[in-house]
Each structure stands twice: as C-alpha cells, then as structure tokens.
Amino acid sequence: MRHWLMKSEPATYSIDDLAKKNVPDMWEGCRNYTVRNFIRDQMSIGDLAFFYHSSCAMPGIVGIMEIVSEAFADPTQFDPKSHYFDPKSPLDNPRWFARNVSLVERWPTPVTLSDLRGEPLLAGMGVLQRGQRLSVMPVTDEEWKLVSQIGQAKSAAV
DNA sequence: GCCAACGTTGGC
DNA sequence: GCCAACGTTGGC
C-alpha cells in the first residue's frame, strides 16, 4: 500500500464537504501531468491519503481518506460548463483521470503546515519543499506514521 | 495583493 | 527542440 497527500482549497472542496457525503466522492479536476500519472498509474484501491487544505487561513492536514476506485476518465474535462473543462481532451483518449475517495478520519485539530515544518523528521516531506506545487504527491511510510500519530494525538487532546 | 517557483504554450 | 512569455499555485 502507498500513501499520498492530496490538496484541495477548502473554499472549493473541503473535508467537511467530503464528510457530508457519507459515501465515496469523486476527486476531480487535477490538470497536471505528473499528478495525472500518480492518479492513473500509481494509486491502488486501499491506499490512504492525507487531505490537505491549501490556499486558506490555516493550511494543513485535516484528515485521512481512502482510495476506493480504480482510475476513470474525469468527467469534468468533457463538460463545457465545468471550470475544469478541457476542450483539447479527446473523448476516446482522455487526458485527465479521477478516483473515488472515502473519508476515514476527520481531524478536528489539523496538523498545520507550521506543525509540519516544526518537526525535523519531516523535513523531507514533498509538501514542505520549496516551489513544489503538485496537488497530489506520495508520502513515505515513515512520514505517514509520524504525521498520523501527531494528528491523532492533537485531535484526541481536544 | 505580492511574488517565487514551476508547468505549459507556441513561435521559430 | 529551444526558450521566452504566460498562467497557475500557494504561502505569506
């Protein structure tokens, strides 16, 4: 099993939006080829991912999701009304892929970006690297364990 | 709103 | 295939 970090702007789609569904939801709208390859080729059903809130007052990891489907063509690329519409993506050879995800844990007390930066053992994490902008990226087993512990401890302490 | 970093586009 | 221009990301 692999581990991931997946970013979303909470103003667009937050962990509360996912929690409200009570069923798996589609992780859509990725429009970067590196991210596309992760989603299409590297993820597996059963993989776990951190849900990361970006571009907001308190950026950080707000919970855990599970990948629950194979990759499928992201329908928003074919929808002219969608913000994610891509007129150059051929119907018979889609450029962009999505997966369904389901909520595993929502952390009432997030592990903030500054929490992550404050932990020397996490200095190598992709999300902390200067200039990295991928909205989906792999997380090592060690990083996963440590961040999960921090997240669960912070949220249990409330 | 600023700006650094990076990906994508398109002219050549 | 090069590379400048442009657009986007995302923290601050």
Side-chain angles (χ1 to χ4, degrees):
Chain A
M1 180 174 58
R2 302 187 65 173
H3 295 111
W4 304 93
L5 181 144
M6 300 170 74
K7 295 182 192 171
S8 181
E9 301 186 12
T12 303
Y13 184 81
S14 74
I15 195 163
D16 291 323
D17 294 322
L18 175 58
K20 265 185 268 174
K21 297 272 175 172
N22 263 334
V23 290
D25 202 4
M26 183 171 66
W27 197 271
E28 65 190 24
C30 296
R31 296 292 183 267
N32 166 285
Y33 287 101
T34 302
V35 170
R36 187 275 307 270
N37 293 344
F38 284 144
I39 291 172
R40 188 187 57 184
D41 307 329
Q42 304 291 316
M43 282 182 172
S44 303
I45 292 178
D47 283 0
L48 296 176
F50 290 132
F51 194 133
Y52 181 93
H53 281 176
S54 66
S55 293
C56 55
M58 187 74 82
I61 295 169
V62 292
I64 294 175
M65 333 179 251
E66 181 177 353
I67 307 302
V68 297
S69 80
E70 299 292 353
F72 52 89
D74 181 344
T76 63
Q77 71 196 302
F78 302 125
D79 177 3
K81 294 190 299 272
S82 170
H83 177 248
Y84 301 116
F85 179 53
D86 181 356
K88 293 182 185 165
S89 181
L91 257 172
D92 56 355
N93 184 24
R95 278 190 188 181
W96 309 116
F97 288 79
R99 295 253 183 182
N100 290 332
V101 298
S102 65
L103 182 65
V104 176
E105 288 177 11
R106 180 184 166 281
W107 294 342
T109 309
V111 177
T112 65
L113 182 58
S114 93
D115 290 337
L116 297 173
R117 289 200 197 284
E119 173 49 71
L121 292 171
L122 297 175
M125 263 190 107
V127 73
L128 302 182
Q129 304 314 304
R130 181 181 180 79
Q132 77 69 33
R133 303 178 315 173
L134 298 178
S135 64
V136 173
M137 67 187 84
V139 171
T140 70
D141 291 351
E142 293 73 20
E143 291 161 355
W144 181 269
K145 268 185 214 156
L146 182 51
V147 175
S148 300
Q149 283 167 11
I150 297 170
Q152 286 154 5
K154 281 190 82 174
S155 289
V158 174

